Amino acid sequence: MNQSNNGLFHELKRKVQGWDRKIVFPEALDARVLVAAGRLASEEVLTPVLIGDMNEIQNKAKEHKISLDRMEIYDPKNYIEIDQMIAAFVERRKGKATEEDAKKLLQDENYFGTMLVYMGKADGLVSGAAHSTADTVRPALQIIKMKPGLSKTSGVFVMVRDDEKYVFADCAINIAPNSQDLAEIAVESAKTAKMFDVDPRVALLSFSTKGSAVSDETKKVEEALRLAKEMDPALVIDGEIQFDAAIVPSVSNKKAPDSPLQGDATVFVFPSLEAGNIGYKIAQRLGGFEAVGPILQGLNSPVNDLSRGCSEEDVYNLALVTAIQSMEKN
């Protein structure tokens, strides 16, 4: 990890300490997760909430010389409030799950951990070291659900290089977002930017700048601009706009002289997942940026997904991000 990224997470850690955030780790028997949780607890950054069999977790902790002090451990098979959790789950699913369904599903660590967040016993959840994205996100969408007024979650990357920080969205979730989706992504990405001390100046990207080409694709972005302005009239945003016109002042002056961005955009909303995924990887591999994420946004409480190839450091850092997101609710 480069020095700039270290600086970013040092700042997140400073913000989180003292807020007594509780973050759930459903994959407590994964060594990477357990070691990261041990660091977070020993440094008193936050309280890890581990899910699993108490004896197995204790044995794994002993094997890796990790103290379980300052952690909470819940075993779905021996949870004292399981009846209340089952009732809350059935009520939340509104006829889509019976008590029998709930009993079975709540033995799954991700569903159980997500219910702890929903019931206010924890502030957020980090999973995915040993589960697929679907296994992590599905319980969140069913139980925690979207913030009022939003229809879909989206995935952003914070791109970091030395003192530069940008937000790229959506690079992880929505394959073909429509105008409403793009507007929601823009507004939520601006909020995410603020968490990382990035002043949000949002560019709705396209292959066209302010009508230089006209197609269904450009009209979609143009409509997204209108909707985003309705959702947040104070937002500094423009589109449709090409990447160079969004980030190079001299190009902006030629192509979009009246743009509020003036070639100084910090948040980039891509018109499709295809473009977003390719874009962030080009910045990462050719531009020397580090990609922090994907960070999921739009949920009532934060749930974030690790890569199955993640490191202990990735777990530690994503827990910090999740804690920061949970603080935005207060």
Side-chain angles (χ1 to χ4, degrees), residues 59-302:
N59 290 337
K60 188 68 118 174
K62 193 178 291 183
E63 180 188 332
H64 291 277
K65 299 182 172 58
I66 297 164
S67 167
L68 294 173
D69 291 346
R70 301 194 188 93
M71 299 198 208
E72 296 179 7
I73 301 173
Y74 291 95
D75 181 354
K77 293 183 177 64
N78 298 298
Y79 181 49
I80 196 165
E81 295 180 33
I82 192 67
D83 289 342
Q84 294 96 308
M85 185 180 276
I86 288 168
F89 182 85
V90 171
E91 191 278 330
R92 186 62 166 164
R93 296 297 289 135
K94 296 192 186 331
K96 293 180 181 173
T98 64
E99 273 194 28
E100 281 306 309
D101 295 332
K103 282 178 188 172
K104 184 177 176 184
L105 280 172
L106 291 173
Q107 291 304 301
D108 176 276
E109 298 93 340
N110 280 319
Y111 272 96
F112 183 89
T114 304
M115 279 301 293
L116 289 179
V117 176
Y118 172 63
M119 295 172 76
K121 296 180 184 298
D123 300 295
L125 178 146
V126 172
S127 187
H131 290 87
S132 70
T133 296
D135 288 337
T136 301
V137 176
R138 188 184 301 111
L141 293 175
Q142 291 178 355
I143 299 164
I144 292 172
K145 301 189 179 181
M146 303 302 302
K147 291 176 187 173
L150 297 183
S151 58
K152 291 176 183 169
T153 188
S154 52
V156 307
F157 283 87
V158 179
M159 308 300 292
V160 186
R161 184 178 67 186
D162 299 326
D163 293 331
E164 295 176 272
K165 283 185 285 189
Y166 301 102
V167 174
F168 283 17
D170 174 359
C171 305
I173 303 289
N174 297 288
I175 294 172
N178 60 28
S179 297
Q180 180 67 35
D181 298 335
L182 289 175
E184 290 180 11
I185 291 165
V187 172
E188 288 302 301
S189 298
K191 294 175 187 173
T192 298
K194 289 177 184 174
M195 291 181 212
F196 290 89
D197 296 322
V198 174
D199 179 26
R201 298 170 61 80
V202 184
L204 292 165
L205 296 176
S206 177
F207 58 82
S208 163
T209 297
K210 311 307 285 181
S212 63
V214 178
S215 71
D216 289 344
E217 289 80 8
T218 64
K219 288 176 185 173
K220 175 180 82 168
V221 180
E222 195 179 338
E223 173 67 3
L225 176 67
R226 187 186 69 77
L227 294 169
K229 283 179 172 177
E230 280 183 7
M231 291 171 70
D232 185 356
L235 191 60
V236 178
I237 184 170
D238 203 10
E240 86 285 11
I241 192 165
Q242 290 162 287
F243 188 84
D244 55 355
I247 201 167
V248 182
S250 61
V251 177
S252 173
N253 195 40
K254 288 191 183 93
K255 291 186 175 183
D258 298 326
S259 173
L261 300 176
Q262 292 297 297
D264 189 26
T266 56
V267 177
F268 299 93
V269 177
F270 292 84
S272 68
L273 181 59
E274 190 172 45
N277 191 272
I278 292 167
Y280 101 79
K281 287 179 187 291
I282 288 173
Q284 183 184 36
R285 301 300 178 182
L286 294 184
F289 280 84
E290 287 214 39
V292 177
I295 300 162
L296 299 187
Q297 54 187 22
L299 294 164
N300 279 311
S301 296

